[in-house]
Amino acid sequence: MKLILLGPPGAGKGTQAARIAAKYGIAHISTGDMLRAEIRKGSELGLKAKSTIDRGELVSDDVIIGMVKNRIEAPDCARGFLFDGFPRTVEQAEALEEITEIDRVIDIEVPFSRLVERISGRRMCPDCGAAHHVSRVDGGRCPDCGGALYQRDDDREETVKNRLSVYERKTAPLIEFYLQRGKLLEVNGDAPIDTVGAEIFGKLEE
Ligand code: AMP
């Protein structure tokens, strides 16, 4: 099973990706998480990517495609995988077609007016990777595992607007790209987490 999760920043891709990957026993591949891991390691790639990410721009297609090509060779991808945050440009999607065939693309749609509030209120858990909205956490601790929540540098309001504009220009055309290939499943992301999850599983199993 090879899946892609598409949708703007703040649509809930990471949250749903973790559930889908757990249910089907497939690898959850977040290119954003991979880049943040490189930044934490202080690798050359991480150092180069940090300023791009902090401006809300996209890391170059070559770097991302190289990373993904390597990643899907890992043993945990044998049963399949789910991309979260990749591809983000038509060039990446075309390169992916040369590497492997994708079964389905799940597009999580959330009205644009809701996204700034969702992203700038997002807090991340460094221990379990979960995202929580600031209005639903008490004392800055992760409700799932107790980790000390933090805000991603690129989730600050100044960067969020640029990320959304980059999404519109560079990533949203992928909706049409996968629609034409008959792979697109559209899901309403402006609903409680379990409702969105149920719609995804329902459509995948149809
Ligand atoms: P994410 O965690 O998916 O929101 O990604 C955080 C940031 O990492 C993005 O705003 C980009 O700067 C960079 N990034 C992640 N995935 C990609 C990708 N597929 N192509 C280009 N840049 C990416």
Side-chain angles (χ1 to χ4, degrees):
M1 193 180 226
K2 297 175 184 172
L3 305 172
I4 291 172
L5 263 186
L6 200 62
K13 295 190 296 296
T15 301
Q16 298 299 337
R19 298 173 154 218
I20 300 167
K23 173 155 175 171
Y24 297 118
I26 59 179
H28 172 190
I29 304 180
S30 157
T31 42
D33 283 348
M34 291 169 77
L35 291 166
R36 283 183 289 276
E38 293 296 324
I39 293 173
R40 278 197 299 276
K41 273 197 288 186
S43 70
E44 200 181 322
L45 192 161
L47 291 175
K48 275 201 196 141
K50 175 139 177 56
S51 62
T52 310
I53 294 174
D54 287 350
R55 285 196 311 276
E57 301 290 334
L58 296 183
V59 173
S60 80
D61 290 334
D62 288 350
V63 167
I64 298 288
I65 293 159
M67 253 174 40
V68 165
K69 239 183 187 165
N70 255 325
R71 177 66 185 86
I72 62 175
E73 298 295 323
D76 68 326
C77 293
R79 287 173 51 92
F81 44 80
L82 167 66
F83 288 124
D84 158 13
F86 171 86
R88 257 180 161 97
T89 62
V90 171
E91 290 72 19
Q92 290 178 16
E94 285 170 350
L96 180 61
E97 286 189 321
E98 305 291 315
I99 303 171
T100 189
E101 188 174 353
I102 294 297
D103 301 307
R104 287 282 179 272
V105 178
I106 304 153
D107 174 34
I108 307 186
E109 283 299 325
V110 172
F112 250 62
S113 56
R114 301 264 298 115
L115 293 171
V116 174
E117 201 270 326
R118 278 173 77 145
I119 310 170
S120 48
R122 175 161 73 178
R123 299 293 180 269
M124 308 302 299
C125 177
D127 299 336
C128 72
H132 298 282
H133 195 268
V134 70
S135 61
R136 287 192 294 273
V137 292
D138 222 9
R141 291 276 161 190
C142 175
D144 297 338
C145 77
L149 298 173
Y150 70 98
Q151 184 177 36
R152 270 170 53 174
D153 286 338
D154 63 340
D155 277 353
R156 297 178 198 282
E157 201 165 334
E158 345 40 290
T159 313
V160 169
K161 297 211 168 106
N162 193 38
R163 286 168 65 200
L164 292 175
S165 129
V166 167
Y167 172 80
E168 281 279 85
R169 283 182 286 121
K170 302 201 167 155
T171 309
L174 293 178
I175 296 172
E176 184 60 31
F177 182 96
Y178 287 115
L179 188 66
Q180 279 177 11
R181 283 156 178 76
K183 299 197 190 258
L184 199 74
L185 303 174
E186 284 193 84
V187 168
N188 172 24
D190 193 17
I193 292 172
D194 287 340
T195 311
V196 179
E199 191 181 350
I200 293 175
F201 291 127
K203 292 206 163 150
L204 277 176
E205 276 156 30
E206 250 168 35

